[in-house]
Amino acid sequence: MNAVSILFRREMRLAMRQSADSLMVIAFFVIAVVLFPFGVGPEPNMLARIGPGVIWVAALLAAMLSMDRMFMGDYEDGSLELLVLSPVALEVAVCIKVLVHWLTTGVPLICAAPLLFVMMNVPGEIWPVLLLTLLLGTPVLSLIGSIGAALTLGARRGGVLLSLLILPLVIPVLIFAAGAGDAVLYGEGAKANLMLLGGVLLAALALTPWATAQALREAVA
Amino acid sequence: MHYFANPTRFQRLSRRVEPWLLGLMLICFAAGLYLSLFASPVDYQQGHTVRIMYIHVPAAWMALFCYTAMAVSAAVALIWKHALADVAAKATAPIGAAFTFLSLVTGSLWGKPMWGTWWVWDARLTSVLVLFFLYLGYMALRDAFDEPGRGARASAILVLVGFVNVPIIKFSVDWWNTLHQPSSVLRMQGPTIHPDMLTPLFLMAAAFQLYYFWLLLIRIRCELMSNRVRALRHRQAAAG
């Protein structure tokens, strides 16, 4: 337990020292969404219709930006090897890293989202549902992204490659999350979509640390 | 299984099997194409466009089969360090990507006259498109490392992770009721297609399958040879 909390504090401290990284993610998120009214026209009904989907796509792309940093620093300065050798199971270390990644990118994304709801004229009754989808969905992005980040360590053009690998895998998250908002608008209730999203989160939570840990072992082998 | 891990032994065997595969494949293709293009009945609703099915459906089956084969080979390569399984996974990827692309294109050509649209965002179509991206991602990741062994291991993990998509594709038409028709051949209650159409379909599927194995043997041999060339080059460079 002690080692786990030490590791968590180390990760948090590292992330806080480079808080510009997560600020950049938020800035990208906001700017990407703000581009849409210019692209499709500022008609309020249209913006309300596409708003939830646009916000989710932008959140996804923004999360991609921060993904390749997840293990890169540790890989470059050699502390990843120590992490692999340490008494803390690598799967647990991966979970901590994912948690810290989510706290420093996912949570700020969720905090910035209401601002974008206003700008995209998203109807007030789907705000809670959308925030809930972000709450359930962004950890999945961090979890699945950790696999990609571990696999592309030491690869050429790692960042672009990471998007190619991860984006197809997170499409279900996007479908269920955007579907939840639509379901409320059409009066169906978002329960089914939220349950599916929760299921995806639980499955990702159970499976991805193993895959990521294995990929990290291959990276330092 | 480790008996065939020896490349020389594998090459000897594959040379012997290859003409048989080629012959069988040509027979299946000839019979399947004749039956499907000329001898099979015209659909009462779709007319002659139904004949696209004899390419489209086997290609889609092969797209799933190739990915499954890749996942199995990748697992074998990761767990038992079986060198040939790894080569097989690498050799399968472009073939699978080609089959996936073929099924997407023929599906689009079939969809235009039947559904009135080239493309819909239906669960089956979308999940097959994702499968195509997974193939591309696999090939890109495999090539992205300077050390080939690292690329092989990283991409093997990726294939196993992406395997979640295969059951989703298989059951997508049962779970979501969208434009694509539900499964009509591989289902619990038996096929709903008339035998006159089913026979050419299975012949074409067999032909596609044999084509895959034939191509796989050639590609594996090719890969083994280029490995040997690389090893010789290294030795030459080391000798100065």
Side-chain angles (χ1 to χ4, degrees), chain A residues 50-143:
Chain A
I50 63 171
V54 165
I55 288 169
W56 248 102
V57 171
L60 229 163
L61 295 176
M64 283 303 128
L65 278 186
S66 60
M67 226 57 102
D68 60 334
R69 303 295 318 155
M70 209 188 282
F71 303 108
M72 193 63 93
D74 284 354
Y75 178 71
E76 279 168 354
D77 67 13
S79 39
L80 189 63
E81 278 165 46
L82 295 178
L83 211 58
V84 172
L85 293 172
S86 80
V88 181
L90 191 54
E91 285 78 7
V92 176
V94 166
C95 290
I96 294 170
K97 283 208 163 263
V98 169
L99 177 67
V100 170
H101 179 263
W102 181 67
L103 287 174
T104 52
T105 59
V107 171
L109 278 185
I110 298 173
C111 295
L115 171 72
L116 296 172
F117 293 168
V118 176
M119 294 170 91
M120 293 298 281
N121 195 28
V122 173
E125 70 257 35
I126 65 171
W127 280 37
V129 171
L130 273 186
L131 283 175
L132 205 54
T133 63
L134 282 169
L135 203 60
L136 289 171
T138 45
V140 182
L141 302 185
S142 298
L143 282 166

Side-chain angles (χ1 to χ4, degrees), chain B residues 104-128:
Chain B
L104 284 169
V105 168
T106 53
S108 188
L109 291 175
W110 198 6
K112 185 61 187 163
M114 289 304 109
W115 299 341
T117 170
W118 295 106
W119 180 264
V120 282
W121 291 99
D122 137 296
R124 175 57 69 85
L125 275 66
T126 314
S127 52
V128 173

Side-chain angles (χ1 to χ4, degrees), chain B residues 135-153:
Chain B
Y135 277 119
L136 295 187
Y138 173 84
M139 291 190 275
L141 183 63
R142 189 147 187 145
D143 285 341
F145 292 94
D146 293 324
E147 188 219 331
R150 169 93 172 88
R153 292 190 303 271

Side-chain angles (χ1 to χ4, degrees), chain B residues 161-210:
Chain B
V161 170
F163 190 71
V164 288
N165 193 31
V166 170
I168 294 181
I169 296 178
K170 172 71 190 79
F171 295 110
S172 58
V173 286
D174 306 325
W175 293 342
W176 292 280
N177 249 323
T178 39
L179 202 49
H180 198 284
Q181 64 156 349
S183 51
S184 43
V185 179
L186 296 173
R187 36 175 254 143
M188 299 275 243
Q189 295 85 3
T192 53
I193 299 182
H194 193 269
D196 284 350
M197 289 181 166
L198 207 54
T199 317
L201 182 62
F202 278 143
L203 271 173
M204 287 302 284
F208 272 49
Q209 191 82 48
L210 289 165

Side-chain angles (χ1 to χ4, degrees), chain A residues 75 147 150-157 161 164-165 168-169 171-172 175-176 207 211 214-215 218-221, chain B residues 78 81 126 130 133-134 136-138 140-141 143-147 150 153-155 157-158 161-162 164 168 176:
Chain A
Y75 178 71
I147 302 180
L151 285 177
T152 51
L153 282 178
R156 295 186 298 267
R157 307 174 305 273
L161 189 60
L164 177 65
L165 304 183
L169 293 175
I171 287 177
I175 291 176
F176 297 139
L207 298 175
Q214 191 55 41
E218 301 292 356
V220 297
Chain B
L78 268 187
K81 313 268 177 223
T126 314
V130 168
F133 291 144
L134 286 176
L136 295 187
Y138 173 84
L141 183 63
D143 285 341
F145 292 94
D146 293 324
E147 188 219 331
R150 169 93 172 88
R153 292 190 303 271
S155 52
I157 297 175
L158 180 72
V161 170
V164 288
I168 294 181
W176 292 280

Side-chain angles (χ1 to χ4, degrees), chain B:
Chain B
M1 194 171 64
H2 281 276
Y3 182 80
F4 296 111
N6 179 335
T8 325
R9 210 174 279 150
F10 170 82
Q11 286 185 340
R12 206 173 327 129
L13 185 82
S14 87
R15 284 228 171 73
R16 204 167 302 159
V17 174
E18 200 194 297
W20 291 94
L21 276 179
L22 180 63
L24 215 55
M25 176 189 96
L26 289 177
I27 293 170
C28 278
F29 259 125
L33 281 176
Y34 171 72
L35 280 181
S36 56
L37 294 186
F38 300 105
S40 72
V42 168
D43 189 85
Y44 77 101
Q45 272 183 328
Q46 308 190 10
H48 281 290
T49 38
V50 75
R51 301 195 194 285
I52 296 174
M53 175 183 77
Y54 301 113
I55 302 290
H56 173 69
V57 173
W61 283 345
M62 287 311 294
L64 289 181
F65 176 84
C66 286
Y67 198 88
T68 312
M70 247 164 78
V72 172
S73 330
V76 169
L78 268 187
I79 297 168
W80 290 291
K81 313 268 177 223
H82 194 295
L84 210 58
D86 176 54
V87 176
K90 182 181 185 185
T92 300
I95 312 177
F99 277 128
T100 313
F101 186 68
L102 183 65
S103 87
L104 284 169
V105 168
T106 53
S108 188
L109 291 175
W110 198 6
K112 185 61 187 163
M114 289 304 109
W115 299 341
T117 170
W118 295 106
W119 180 264
V120 282
W121 291 99
D122 137 296
R124 175 57 69 85
L125 275 66
T126 314
S127 52
V128 173
L129 187 65
V130 168
L131 182 71
F132 184 60
F133 291 144
L134 286 176
Y135 277 119
L136 295 187
Y138 173 84
M139 291 190 275
L141 183 63
R142 189 147 187 145
D143 285 341
F145 292 94
D146 293 324
E147 188 219 331
R150 169 93 172 88
R153 292 190 303 271
S155 52
I157 297 175
L158 180 72
V159 172
L160 293 177
V161 170
F163 190 71
V164 288
N165 193 31
V166 170
I168 294 181
I169 296 178
K170 172 71 190 79
F171 295 110
S172 58
V173 286
D174 306 325
W175 293 342
W176 292 280
N177 249 323
T178 39
L179 202 49
H180 198 284
Q181 64 156 349
S183 51
S184 43
V185 179
L186 296 173
R187 36 175 254 143
M188 299 275 243
Q189 295 85 3
T192 53
I193 299 182
H194 193 269
D196 284 350
M197 289 181 166
L198 207 54
T199 317
L201 182 62
F202 278 143
L203 271 173
M204 287 302 284
F208 272 49
Q209 191 82 48
L210 289 165
Y211 174 69
Y212 162 71
F213 282 122
W214 178 64
L215 210 57
L216 182 68
L217 287 185
I218 294 176
R219 288 190 61 90
I220 290 181
R221 276 219 308 272
C222 216
E223 197 61 42
L224 291 175
M225 268 183 242
S226 65
N227 278 350
R228 198 176 300 163
V229 169
R230 196 164 45 229
L232 287 174
R233 284 238 176 88
H234 275 297
R235 205 172 302 163
Q236 210 172 16

